[in-house]
Amino acid sequence: MHPSEEIKFEKSTSLKNKRICLCLTGSVACVESFYLCRDLIRHGAEVNVFMTESTTRLIHPDLMEFASGKKPILELTGRTEHITLCSDCDLVIVSPCTANTISKIALGIADNPVTTCVTTALGYGIPVIIVPAMHLSLMKNKAVERNIKKLERLGCKVLKPRIEKERAKIADREMIIANAIRLVGKRDLEDKNILIIGGASAERIDDIRVITNRSSGKFSIELAREAFERGANVELWYGWMKEKIPSYIRTKEFESVKDLSDMVKYTKKFDFIIVCAALSNYIPRALDGKIPSGIKGLTLDLETAPTIIDEIRKICKKGKIIVFKAEEREDKLIEKCKDLSNNFYMVVGNLITSFGKEDTTIWIFKKGKMKKVSGNKKDLARHIIDIMVS
Ligand SMILES: Cc1cc2nc3c(=O)[nH]c(=O)nc-3n(C[C@H](O)[C@H](O)[C@H](O)COP(=O)(O)O)c2cc1C
């Protein structure tokens, strides 16, 4: 067994049975392609590598043979590799893509294995992801700019680089993989606008202290990831969060329940709103400055916080609202969730012991039915969205 087989499905089965042509061009960022190739396999893909001549001066084809388990295509031969491999593949990724190759593809030039593979794929209507990487001066060149727009018009998904100082840095691997899964996956949330509200709220006590809670925000990230991969336009509104938010998810930040309440007016456009944030039920009457230390028996004056899910329901008439509820005991949780499910599209119950944990149990309530599921938060996010769209 080739070593590349051993890592298959290590991360997920999202790219199972998917054939991907990974095309490399002569940017230094091709050092990243080894890891990209391995991660595509870890998600279950079969990968064929194509390399331009300038790439082979930067990294050796043996490295990519080791990564993919197959000899990279360095030239086109009588085996017509561009037809045999590209015509029945599910996706082509050009990563990194040089200014040179961008402009060639935009003009329909097919003069090497990479440009011929992409031109063939576009002719067949196979999805193509272009991941540009170059010095900012090249990126700002009007001809290159125009050609990038042309690629978008041709139907390519261009993952724009991050601009840092004078460099247009290649999109991160996580973003490339998520877009690959999104393009070849089931896309049952295509054109749907989905808002996920996650993380913990933090309420001011004075200018430096807050009351917050132990929510890690993990569920909201897994839900955002899942919805993105299934084709949705996702926005994540996040409070205090321990987890790193993927760079491809659009975000807005809030701190307090009041901040969130001010944002509710922007919820109108959403088809689904999932509220899994741990929001404070009580708000302290905050003091300016810093409460001096050493006060004996200091008490806080708390008032009841507004209920955000009720505010959203008033504003967002068309949106289906999915609310999370956390309780200490299962019997109480089920009773509360049942009550809530009379007023909301769907309710997801979990016990407070699940805060910050990777594996947990949830109770999903929709249209009078209840389903109890256990697993890691990634798999549970899939279950929740499956039931949400069913
Ligand atoms: C060390 C080195 C690094 C390079 N990095 C880039 C790059 O990041 N982006 C780019 O567009 N061109 C870069 N170039 C220039 C391309 O390799 C050159 O334009 C080449 O003709 C591209 O050919 P290809 O698109 O067929 O691979 C680099 C060249 C060298 C020698």
Side-chain angles (χ1 to χ4, degrees):
M1 187 200 276
H2 188 272
S4 61
E5 285 294 317
E6 288 166 16
I7 58 168
K8 208 160 189 176
F9 307 122
E10 237 175 42
K11 290 206 166 172
S12 82
T13 52
S14 305
L15 294 172
K16 190 178 176 184
N17 296 330
K18 302 294 177 193
R19 271 183 253 187
I20 296 179
C21 291
L22 177 60
C23 299
L24 277 53
T25 68
S27 152
V28 273
C30 66
V31 296
E32 299 281 330
S33 305
F34 170 81
Y35 301 103
L36 175 61
C37 179
R38 305 283 285 175
D39 266 2
L40 289 168
I41 296 170
R42 285 190 179 98
H43 286 279
E46 182 191 324
V47 182
N48 280 295
V49 175
F50 289 64
M51 295 167 81
T52 61
E53 202 255 318
S54 13
T55 318
T56 62
R57 280 188 272 137
L58 297 170
I59 56 168
H60 199 278
D62 284 356
L63 181 71
M64 295 312 294
E65 181 176 353
F66 174 78
S68 66
K70 298 190 188 70
K71 277 227 171 295
I73 309 299
L74 309 178
E75 58 176 356
L76 299 177
T77 68
R79 287 197 294 276
T80 59
E81 293 81 354
H82 60 296
I83 305 290
T84 50
L85 296 175
C86 304
S87 64
D88 67 348
C89 78
D90 299 279
L91 176 68
V92 174
I93 304 175
V94 191
S95 180
C97 192
T98 57
N100 177 54
T101 296
I102 284 172
S103 297
K104 282 189 189 173
I105 300 170
L107 293 173
I109 292 171
D111 64 345
N112 65 37
V114 167
T115 51
T116 311
C117 171
V118 180
T119 307
T120 308
L122 287 173
Y124 276 118
I126 292 165
V128 174
I129 296 179
I130 303 281
V131 192
M134 65 196 72
H135 192 265
L136 198 55
S137 54
L138 284 167
M139 195 78 193
K140 278 183 173 167
N141 177 300
K142 292 285 169 224
V144 177
E145 267 180 8
R146 245 192 338 266
N147 288 332
I148 288 179
K149 290 209 177 83
K150 248 190 202 171
L151 290 186
E152 286 173 329
R153 283 201 298 278
L154 284 170
C156 298
K157 175 74 193 168
V158 180
L159 300 180
K160 302 257 164 59
R162 287 173 286 133
I163 309 295
E164 278 177 18
K165 295 190 179 139
E166 277 308 290
R167 292 215 191 93
K169 282 201 166 173
I170 190 162
D172 62 50
R173 206 180 329 143
E174 196 184 22
M175 180 188 279
I176 303 170
I177 300 274
N179 276 280
I181 296 170
R182 180 177 165 96
L183 278 175
V184 301
K186 55 180 164 182
R187 297 188 73 84
D188 54 352
L189 288 176
E190 191 155 15
D191 299 327
K192 296 283 182 239
N193 294 318
I194 301 197
L195 171 64
I196 292 147
I197 305 178
S201 67
E203 304 299 332
R204 267 185 76 229
I205 295 174
D206 61 16
D207 285 353
I208 52 167
R209 300 179 179 100
V210 292
I211 294 184
T212 185
N213 60 67
R214 290 203 166 115
S215 163
S216 64
K218 193 162 184 51
F219 238 134
S220 64
I221 289 177
E222 293 303 348
L223 285 161
R225 218 192 282 274
E226 178 74 16
F228 179 88
E229 290 176 358
R230 289 163 78 155
N233 304 317
V234 183
E235 211 168 287
L236 172 66
W237 292 1
Y238 67 101
W240 281 31
M241 194 77 117
K242 290 194 191 87
E243 299 287 321
K244 187 175 164 280
I245 301 173
S247 57
Y248 53 87
I249 300 289
R250 243 180 307 135
T251 56
K252 281 194 183 131
E253 193 175 355
F254 68 88
E255 185 174 85
S256 63
V257 172
K258 167 80 173 61
D259 293 342
L260 196 53
S261 174
D262 291 342
M263 290 155 75
V264 165
K265 55 181 176 287
Y266 303 115
T267 57
K268 275 187 193 151
K269 67 170 183 187
F270 292 101
D271 300 293
F272 293 97
I273 300 175
I274 307 178
V275 187
C276 51
L279 301 172
S280 186
N281 303 109
Y282 300 101
I283 301 177
R285 276 185 235 282
L287 295 172
D288 290 334
K290 177 178 175 269
I291 301 171
S293 48
I295 301 177
K296 290 236 163 63
L298 177 72
T299 55
L300 289 175
D301 193 4
L302 301 168
E303 58 184 30
T304 317
T307 312
I308 295 296
I309 47 177
D310 290 338
E311 293 192 357
I312 294 174
R313 213 164 39 151
K314 274 187 213 136
I315 297 285
C316 183
K317 301 277 185 234
K318 71 161 185 174
K320 294 177 170 143
I321 303 171
I322 294 97
V323 298
F324 272 56
K325 181 86 194 138
E327 284 295 336
E328 251 182 287
R329 285 198 343 252
E330 183 174 343
D331 53 347
K332 183 123 185 262
L333 177 71
I334 291 175
E335 185 192 316
K336 290 245 169 164
C337 287
K338 271 188 185 155
D339 270 1
L340 261 179
S341 66
N342 295 326
N343 296 322
F344 291 94
Y345 176 73
M346 208 168 124
V347 178
V348 180
N350 61 150
L351 296 172
I352 52 170
T353 46
S354 96
F355 274 44
K357 297 261 166 62
E358 180 55 43
D359 292 322
T360 187
T361 299
I362 53 170
W363 290 257
I364 306 174
F365 297 78
K366 188 184 161 194
K367 292 185 184 151
K369 287 194 185 137
M370 184 194 90
K371 192 173 177 196
K372 182 178 174 181
V373 214
S374 299
N376 62 43
K377 287 187 178 168
K378 183 177 173 53
D379 290 340
L380 295 178
R382 197 178 53 245
H383 270 291
I384 292 168
I385 296 210
D386 280 345
I387 295 180
M388 187 183 93
V389 294
S390 66

